[in-house]
Amino acid sequence: TVEDQAVPATQLISSLAPTIENASGTGSSVTITKAPVVLLGVFYNGVLLRQGASHDYTISGTTITFITISVTSGDNVQVVSW
């Protein structure tokens, strides 16, 4: 029956929540632990960056390479994805 296949609302909502991961590394590239299925944004010290070789960064698998930024140990890089 349909009732037997229903997904509890709390489970559905938690599966829709984005993942926020702090990237690690310094210099022109950083890494994340899991390649994003859907990338929502990369933030550098709270500022949303633009993706693309002619913008702020590129991403390949779990490596983010910055075009315009050199990350230092005190910087905060967050990746928001599904």
Side-chain angles (χ1 to χ4, degrees):
T1 67
V2 172
E3 291 81 15
D4 294 334
Q5 299 173 7
V7 176
T10 54
Q11 182 180 349
L12 179 62
I13 290 170
S14 67
S15 68
L16 295 176
T19 300
I20 300 173
E21 181 178 355
N22 291 318
S24 61
T26 58
S28 64
S29 66
V30 296
T31 59
I32 52 178
T33 58
K34 181 181 172 189
V37 175
V38 175
L39 180 64
L40 299 177
V42 173
F43 293 84
Y44 174 75
N45 291 333
V47 176
L48 177 64
L49 302 178
R50 294 186 302 165
Q51 184 177 359
S54 62
H55 296 294
D56 299 317
Y57 71 93
T58 60
I59 186 166
S60 177
T62 59
T63 301
I64 299 169
T65 303
F66 294 105
I67 310 302
T68 59
I69 296 168
S70 182
V71 178
T72 64
S73 62
D75 292 334
N76 183 14
V77 177
Q78 291 185 315
V79 178
V80 181
S81 64
W82 262 306

